[in-house]
Amino acid sequence: MSVTTAIYGLTGTTLDPEEKAFFRDADPWGFILFARNVEGMRQLSRLTLELRDCVGRDAPILIDQEGGRVARLKPPAWRKAPPAEVFADLYLKDEEAAIEATRINHRLLAHELRTIGIDVDCAPVADLRIEGADAIIGDRAFGRTPEPIAHLGRAAMDGLMAGGVAPIIKHIPGHGRARADSHLELPVVPEEHGLLSETDFAPFKALADAPMAMTAHIVYADIDDSAPATQSAGLIGDVIRGEIGFDGLLMTDDLSMKALSGTFRERGERSLKAGCDMLLHCNGEMAEMVAVAEGAARLDGKRQDRALAAEAARERIEDFDPDDAESRLNELLDPVTG
């Protein structure tokens, strides 16, 4: 079967026979891992090999390893990376030090991920931190204004790609103003398009050459009050592809989040029709994955070109000494963490 426009999660620390058969037949472009899939380094290395064996190719394997509270790999087996807020605080004191620290931190993340066969990180977050908004973004943001987010987001991307890990900027075109958690309900952002362009959209425009981006399940009422960005042809075409200028691989946020409605086939079909390239489904529920597969498409044309470019972002690995890097990172962060 041809590769399809889907990324799936799985339920446990090993693949069961039903999952193996489904992944072989559905042939997703990639996979995503969560804390429930993690037992240790050896187990995770075996699991990533097993996932790629299911589809018979070097399929991308994703994880959310931002640092701070969004980290699927945790101590003691893995380093406790700081949240983005720490780098944002340092930026206010010393911009150059913050940029260097962010790059080093993400180079370390890349090293940690590649060691166990993971080669895509769902990071960096390019959303603004907005007072009064839902806390779902909070300390995950690199700042409260576009400038630090653009500079630190660039450093994060550079650090990941220097270690052979492809970054995903999220949540395009901006989750920062949401007054609800899209995992639980559909947020509506009422602010005018002009304001959003100057603020929320600006970091994504600065990072528009990223290989991948993840959509926001948010309604931007002044642009399209009928559909969330993930399923809005106007917002994807005019804002994400047009105004922001992003031409990389565009994937949905998790289709199982409660912000979306309809069957899982409908959720997938609407997202692809609106202009998304890839469907992300995370919880590993087999019935839901089967329905997503029914709504997925063959990966071809422009979508395939973008997928190949995203895969190529995993190819460069620079020489690196993790001990020296961690020492330098601690030195740079001392003014805000010491």
Side-chain angles (χ1 to χ4, degrees):
M1 182 175 177
S2 300
V3 179
T4 58
T5 57
I7 299 164
Y8 297 118
L10 57 148
T11 56
T13 56
T14 60
L15 283 173
D16 65 34
E18 186 181 20
E19 287 172 327
K20 286 183 181 181
F22 171 74
F23 292 146
R24 183 189 65 241
D25 294 341
D27 202 4
W29 181 68
F31 304 94
I32 186 165
L33 300 178
F34 287 85
R36 66 178 182 269
N37 308 124
V38 179
E39 202 171 65
M41 294 186 71
R42 288 185 179 178
Q43 167 267 332
L44 205 47
S45 296
R46 289 194 298 269
L47 181 59
T48 56
L49 288 171
E50 194 174 13
L51 286 167
R52 290 185 170 112
D53 185 61
C54 280
V55 293
R57 56 188 160 78
D58 186 21
I61 297 181
L62 293 65
I63 200 165
D64 290 277
Q65 192 72 3
E66 299 172 14
R69 59 193 162 101
V70 179
R72 314 307 184 195
L73 309 178
K74 300 180 185 297
W78 287 277
R79 177 179 65 100
K80 185 176 182 179
E85 179 182 53
V86 169
F87 303 95
D89 290 345
L90 181 58
Y91 189 89
L92 297 176
K93 298 174 181 288
D94 187 333
E95 294 178 9
E96 290 186 6
I99 290 169
E100 182 184 355
T102 303
R103 189 185 192 281
I104 291 172
N105 179 64
H106 286 76
R107 180 65 183 86
L108 281 163
L109 287 173
H111 173 75
E112 292 154 3
L113 296 178
R114 282 297 295 241
T115 298
I116 49 176
I118 298 171
D119 54 12
V120 179
D121 194 0
C122 302
V125 170
D127 303 312
L128 273 67
R129 186 169 189 172
I130 302 289
E131 291 297 331
D134 187 88
I136 189 63
I137 298 300
D139 65 358
R140 299 165 66 193
F142 280 116
R144 300 173 187 270
T145 59
E147 180 189 346
I149 299 172
H151 289 302
L152 299 179
R154 172 67 58 188
M157 283 172 47
D158 288 347
L160 289 170
M161 287 193 288
V165 170
I168 302 173
I169 56 172
K170 60 186 187 184
H171 307 81
I172 198 168
H175 204 298
R177 291 185 191 276
R179 295 172 180 84
D181 180 354
S182 55
H183 292 85
L184 306 175
E185 59 183 289
L186 177 60
V188 177
V189 169
E191 281 79 3
E192 293 183 354
H193 187 170
L195 174 64
L196 296 174
S197 295
E198 294 174 2
T199 55
D200 302 53
F201 300 170
F204 292 97
K205 188 171 185 178
L207 303 174
D209 60 336
M212 288 179 276
M214 182 183 293
T215 62
H217 294 333
I218 293 175
V219 169
Y220 302 85
D222 192 45
I223 302 170
D224 181 351
D225 63 2
S226 65
T230 304
Q231 298 177 337
S232 169
L235 203 142
I236 290 175
D238 296 338
V239 175
I240 294 176
R241 299 299 191 192
E243 180 181 334
I244 289 173
F246 175 73
D247 192 39
L249 186 76
L250 183 66
M251 69 180 65
T252 70
D253 203 344
D254 183 10
L255 292 180
S256 63
M257 290 163 64
K258 294 181 180 178
L260 301 183
S261 61
T263 67
F264 281 88
R265 177 172 182 163
E266 289 168 344
R267 295 181 191 196
E269 288 176 338
R270 289 172 191 162
S271 301
L272 293 176
K273 184 178 180 181
C276 289
D277 299 310
M278 197 67 61
L279 307 176
L280 177 66
H281 183 273
C282 296
N283 65 25
E285 291 292 328
M286 183 56 67
E288 293 182 11
M289 292 195 296
V290 169
V292 171
E294 291 171 351
R298 178 184 175 187
L299 185 61
D300 58 13
K302 186 64 174 175
R303 287 178 177 142
Q304 184 177 45
D305 293 341
R306 290 170 177 150
L308 291 172
E311 292 175 26
R314 309 173 297 169
E315 293 175 358
R316 177 171 61 97
I317 301 181
E318 297 177 357
D319 290 340
F320 179 69
D321 186 320
D323 292 332
D324 288 349
E326 190 163 4
S327 177
R328 176 58 177 160
L329 177 62
N330 291 335
E331 177 187 337
L332 288 164
L333 292 180
D334 186 65
V336 291
T337 61

